[in-house]
Amino acid sequence: MALSSDFSKNLQLLCSYYKSIAEVCRRLGFNRAQFNRYLNGTHKPSANTMLKICEFFGVEEFEIMMPQNQFKLLIQVRPQLHTTENVRLPETTHFETLARSSTHDLDKYLGYYFEYYLSMAHPGKLLRTLVCFTKVNQKIYYQRTERIVEQSHRKPYHGVYLGMANFLVDRIFMVDYESLTKHEISQTILFPTFKNRITQLKGLKIGVSGSGERMPICTRVVYEYLGASINITKAFALCGLYDLSATDIDDSIKAAVKNEMEPHEVHFRARY
């Protein structure tokens, strides 16, 4: 059974970080002729083989099926894939320093979330996005995906943000960039939860509005935990812009993302 051309192209890209296809096959324990069929897109790996391929390269199955341009951007934030050279890039030192400084394990936070905040580009609207945290080589990566339907466009706009997360002392720090246009870097800081069961995480997000003025903006944000495994298609269909009066958004979430300040406050602060 044939797969989409994106899978074979993405697999070829992953293999390009190694000395040869033969080396990849040897390390995976795969037959070269069969592996060539995956590279050519003429055969689909079995579920077990696909799992081995994804684990070897440090990617998720849904990631390796992405359109090639998105997948190429995704792995660019994962320096461990670059195995053909021993050049130590300056940013590698920074990433490793942050990883060593992390004082808690982020494993309990892996999985999918709905992210809620008042839209920077659409004032007065609540934006719900889909976020996925994954762990690769002891580092935490995440993807935020926006789905915005404009009346002037027939198709929804999809914004894909790729980033890394670190748990420093008692806060979760997240930094990502908009991977399609590369016009924005945003930062999110969340309070952790000390409960066994994760329900919501709250904090602040800073970025720029998507409008022409590109105004730097800070807004309160809520992460609602969905689970380690979800129906991504159904969850993503629920993403988009909502009115603050929308009945399908929980009132506690709408209250938590309000950007209000008390009279005595001199800084814009997160709320627990």
Side-chain angles (χ1 to χ4, degrees):
M1 179 180 177
L3 275 176
S4 70
S5 61
D6 287 313
F7 167 76
S8 58
K9 291 177 181 177
N10 292 341
L11 185 58
Q12 292 169 25
L13 179 62
L14 291 170
C15 290
S16 70
Y17 290 110
Y18 291 81
K19 293 180 179 179
S20 65
I21 302 298
E23 180 193 2
V24 173
C25 291
R26 177 179 55 79
R27 295 177 64 173
L28 277 168
F30 286 177
N31 176 275
R32 174 66 183 270
Q34 183 63 33
F35 193 71
N36 282 342
R37 296 187 182 99
Y38 306 148
L39 290 172
N40 295 331
T42 58
H43 283 73
K44 177 182 179 180
S46 66
N48 185 57
T49 298
M50 180 69 84
L51 179 61
K52 289 181 179 179
I53 290 173
C54 291
E55 287 182 346
F56 175 76
F57 288 112
V59 298
E60 299 293 332
E61 183 172 346
F62 79 90
E63 293 174 340
I64 203 171
M65 304 296 289
M66 285 180 171
Q68 188 189 26
N69 62 331
Q70 293 186 25
F71 183 75
K72 186 175 181 180
L73 291 170
L74 175 68
I75 65 170
Q76 284 176 350
V77 300
R78 301 181 179 177
Q80 71 280 358
L81 288 173
H82 299 258
T83 60
T84 59
E85 298 180 359
N86 292 321
V87 177
R88 187 174 181 83
L89 300 174
E91 59 266 29
T92 303
T93 300
H94 300 315
F95 292 145
E96 292 179 352
T97 298
L98 287 174
R100 289 194 300 269
S101 299
S102 294
T103 56
H104 292 73
D105 194 343
L106 278 169
D107 282 2
K108 67 179 288 186
Y109 299 98
L110 300 180
Y112 293 86
Y113 296 77
F114 277 144
E115 175 193 48
Y116 300 88
Y117 61 95
L118 295 182
S119 173
M120 300 177 184
H122 301 80
K125 295 287 188 177
L126 178 66
L127 181 60
R128 174 197 266 167
T129 75
L130 184 64
V131 182
C132 177
F133 287 90
T134 59
K135 186 175 184 179
V136 181
N137 290 354
Q138 305 306 310
K139 296 182 178 67
I140 305 300
Y141 299 90
Y142 68 94
Q143 175 175 319
R144 293 194 300 114
T145 309
E146 292 181 354
R147 176 182 179 273
I148 298 178
V149 181
E150 299 274 14
Q151 292 183 351
S152 58
H153 296 81
R154 294 182 179 179
K155 294 183 179 180
Y157 163 77
H158 294 171
V160 178
Y161 295 77
L162 305 175
M164 297 182 65
N166 287 279
F167 199 139
L168 304 178
V169 185
D170 56 359
R171 298 290 181 263
I172 300 172
F173 292 84
M174 303 161 55
V175 178
D176 58 56
Y177 74 101
E178 206 289 309
S179 64
L180 302 181
T181 65
K182 293 176 280 294
H183 288 171
E184 178 188 357
I185 293 175
S186 62
Q187 180 179 6
T188 302
I189 303 176
L190 299 174
F191 294 110
T193 179
F194 299 102
K195 299 178 180 178
N196 291 329
R197 183 173 179 271
I198 300 173
T199 54
Q200 292 183 1
L201 304 174
K202 299 177 181 179
L204 291 179
K205 172 187 292 292
I206 185 169
V208 298
S209 65
S211 59
E213 64 176 354
R214 290 179 53 79
M215 181 63 66
I217 292 175
C218 185
T219 182
R220 293 192 177 100
V221 64
V222 174
Y223 274 54
E224 180 184 30
Y225 184 64
L226 302 178
S229 178
I230 64 170
N231 186 314
I232 298 175
T233 301
K234 289 184 178 180
F236 192 52
L238 296 174
C239 294
L241 293 169
Y242 288 81
D243 292 325
L244 291 176
S245 59
T247 57
D248 43 358
I249 303 293
D250 191 90
D251 288 339
S252 66
I253 291 176
K254 290 186 284 188
V257 298
K258 286 184 177 180
N259 295 320
E260 299 175 338
M261 292 181 63
E262 298 296 332
H264 66 277
E265 293 180 326
V266 295
H267 300 101
F268 188 68
R269 297 167 60 89
R271 302 277 193 246
Y272 287 102

